[in-house]
Amino acid sequence: MSVPLDAFLEVEVEDGDNGGFVVRAVQTVNPDEPYMRGHFPGFAIYPGVFLIETVAQATAVALDLGTGGPLRVTGVRSMRFLAPLLAGDRVLVKARVRHERDEPGAVEVDARCERGGDGTRIASLKLTMKAPDLLHA
Amino acid sequence: MHEVSDIRGLLPHGHPMLLVDRVVDHDPGRSIEALKAITICEPCYAGLDPGLPADRYAYPASLLLESFGQAAALLWLLSSKTDGVDATRILMLVAARDCRIEGCAMPGDVVRHVARVDHMLQDNVFVAGESYVGDRRIATVGSMMAVLRPRGALHGSDAVTAGVSTHP
């Protein structure tokens, strides 16, 4: 699938409480990424919307569908950006992933992002993702 | 109508993260209609192997929402010029809710964003709107909240040199 950047470096997944999964991912802000050069010229800030990419790509890989697969974001139920991520910053993502009961093939992803090193809360995102072939766990 | 030369004078975003090509209409302080053309030349398509099915070329949802957010920012910035409000402040996206991706844009499509100001509270602006390809709605933004900050706020919570220009 087309993506603006490879948005995570590492990902782990474990079973969550009450079913579902917990996905943990790490990303580093690289000012030399193609889109980063424009955000902003001379001063890099990780776009808030790229945290959608970090969460979504890590979730797709964690669910073993790969970023080449059809799992895609169908909704942003909410997102809040609390602090900026600058060049060289690490961001740690913890996302709870649950199958949506009423919509086959859809998952709810509830993610919190914090800056590596000082634990500053960076963002919280609640996404919906869907893949036609995604089966219930 | 505002072409990219005007847009580049208003938004601090640089290539290839400037995601609005043209403003076709705007009602100052109320609404804006802006276009973004999708092309295979964009960096997001650089890594795709040949032979993939068509659906892999859907424009990323993250960039679609960013493009919408920039259209909303332009609404504010154009209105600021008209009203004489301090245009050295910029809009920073801080939150959104109830956004739905209902379809997709492909290379060759032109996305049309329609953004409306819902209300403003001090330095916070709430916008809503939709994105279309032709008559087909591909996204809905229930609410997007942006705050006005001095351009120096781009440099994060730790203020860097105040004289750094964002328009080299």
Side-chain angles (χ1 to χ4, degrees), chain A residues 1-5 33-53 57 67-70 72-86 115 120 124 126-128 132, chain B residues 12-19 42-45 48 52 55-63 65-66 70 90 92-102 104 144-145 153-158 160 164-168:
Chain A
M1 155 163 27
S2 85
V3 294
L5 79 170
E33 284 280 348
Y35 282 104
M36 292 297 296
R37 295 193 186 120
H39 196 276
F40 296 90
F43 198 83
I45 299 182
Y46 200 63
V49 295
F50 282 4
L51 286 170
I52 298 175
E53 289 290 336
Q57 290 179 26
T67 53
R72 57 181 76 245
V73 174
T74 55
V76 178
R77 285 171 285 123
S78 67
M79 58 184 179
R80 291 179 53 90
F81 305 120
L82 304 163
L85 286 163
L86 309 180
R115 183 157 58 215
T120 302
S124 61
K126 297 188 189 210
L127 310 180
T128 304
Chain B
H13 303 69
H15 187 274
M17 198 62 176
L18 182 60
L19 301 182
E42 274 210 47
C44 62
Y45 294 115
L48 289 178
L52 293 173
D55 67 1
R56 304 298 166 84
Y57 292 84
Y59 194 62
S62 58
L63 294 179
L65 291 171
E66 170 70 21
Q70 290 180 20
I90 62 146
M92 297 178 68
L93 172 65
V94 296
R97 60 171 52 248
D98 298 327
C99 301
R100 296 191 302 276
I101 308 297
E102 296 149 310
C104 61
M144 197 177 262
M145 176 181 151
L154 283 180
H155 300 190
S157 52
D158 305 312
V160 191
V164 174
S165 169
T166 56
H167 288 261

Side-chain angles (χ1 to χ4, degrees), chain B residues 109-168:
Chain B
D109 288 338
V110 175
V111 176
R112 178 169 55 92
H113 299 298
V114 179
R116 297 174 297 277
V117 173
D118 264 352
H119 62 279
M120 298 187 321
L121 186 63
Q122 296 176 327
D123 284 346
N124 301 330
V125 177
F126 293 81
V127 300
E130 302 85 32
S131 304
Y132 300 87
V133 172
D135 294 327
R136 184 167 53 91
R137 192 179 69 206
I138 64 168
T140 303
V141 171
S143 179
M144 197 177 262
M145 176 181 151
V147 296
L148 282 170
R149 289 281 183 268
R151 286 189 180 270
L154 283 180
H155 300 190
S157 52
D158 305 312
V160 191
T161 55
V164 174
S165 169
T166 56
H167 288 261

